[in-house]
Amino acid sequence: MKKIIALVYALLLSSNVWAVDGFSVEYGQTDYSGDNANMARLGAQWDWKKPLVTKGNWLLTGYWEVSAGSWNGQNRGGKDYNTADIGFTPVFRLQQKNFSWAAPYVEAGIGVHMLSNTHITADREFSTAFQFGDHLGAGLRFGDKHRFDLGYRFQHLSNASIKDPNPGINFSQIRLAYHF
């Protein structure tokens, strides 16, 4: 799976046709009564070129996000479970239209994820590798030409009851992005 993730990123980075608008790094963690999972993820973003709504100094816009990462689940017994995660998410973002050095935003996204392993910990197992991922986030764009983006995301993944069991998992994430 690591070779597939490396191939996806090599293809994304090798061509100007893709016109990537930004890259991101995320770190997240969850805790379920002694069983926990950490996640690390890289993402590429493509901005929607036209805002959906403009009202005063605010606009509703968005971007497409492709991500690849890994989860490390650990349980009380000390056994580790590693899972690769590839995702695609359209993200809606409400942000200020005109701002000086920094501006806040809120965002929401609902996308799809494919996992390499359905075991997250010894006590937490998904019934399908296909998962829906939704998140709510808030953050701040700042810096020269507003190229930096620091935010918090709360993300929930589950299979939407396609098949039981459907335990789902929640991550609290910190995200740093750089926009070209």
Side-chain angles (χ1 to χ4, degrees):
M1 191 58 151
K2 289 180 182 181
K3 290 180 182 179
I4 293 172
I5 292 171
L7 177 63
V8 168
Y9 271 99
L11 289 173
L12 288 174
L13 296 174
S14 67
S15 175
N16 290 335
V17 174
W18 293 98
V20 174
D21 294 311
F23 286 100
S24 62
V25 176
E26 298 174 29
Y27 175 77
Q29 194 170 43
T30 186
D31 185 10
Y32 293 103
S33 301
D35 291 337
N36 63 55
N38 299 314
M39 59 83 65
R41 188 182 292 151
L42 298 173
Q45 294 80 38
W46 291 265
D47 294 334
W48 300 348
K49 300 306 178 194
K50 293 184 179 182
L52 300 172
V53 177
T54 301
K55 180 86 173 170
N57 194 34
W58 291 89
L59 57 92
L60 178 62
T61 187
Y63 57 91
W64 304 105
E65 181 172 69
V66 173
S67 62
S70 70
W71 303 357
N72 176 258
Q74 302 167 336
N75 67 340
R76 288 171 266 212
K79 181 171 172 135
D80 287 352
Y81 293 85
N82 294 307
T83 302
D85 167 16
I86 295 176
F88 172 75
T89 306
V91 179
F92 295 89
R93 182 177 276 192
L94 179 64
Q95 66 184 34
Q96 284 183 322
K97 185 168 134 182
N98 300 311
F99 51 92
S100 58
W101 187 80
Y105 66 82
V106 292
E107 68 178 25
I110 299 175
V112 293
H113 291 257
M114 185 61 73
L115 306 178
S116 65
N117 186 359
T118 57
H119 273 90
I120 308 308
T121 68
D123 299 325
R124 182 170 291 273
E125 179 181 6
F126 292 149
S127 58
T128 62
F130 175 80
Q131 300 288 306
F132 292 99
D134 55 78
H135 77 266
L136 294 174
L140 191 66
R141 292 276 308 256
F142 61 95
D144 180 44
K145 297 183 183 178
H146 315 111
R147 291 186 178 183
F148 296 97
D149 182 333
L150 180 62
Y152 168 81
R153 284 183 173 179
F154 177 80
Q155 184 174 38
H156 173 75
L157 288 99
S158 75
N159 71 17
S161 296
I162 292 171
K163 187 175 178 185
D164 288 326
N166 181 31
I169 193 166
N170 298 322
F171 286 104
S172 290
Q173 304 166 342
I174 298 294
R175 179 177 179 271
L176 177 64
Y178 180 81
H179 300 271
F180 300 108

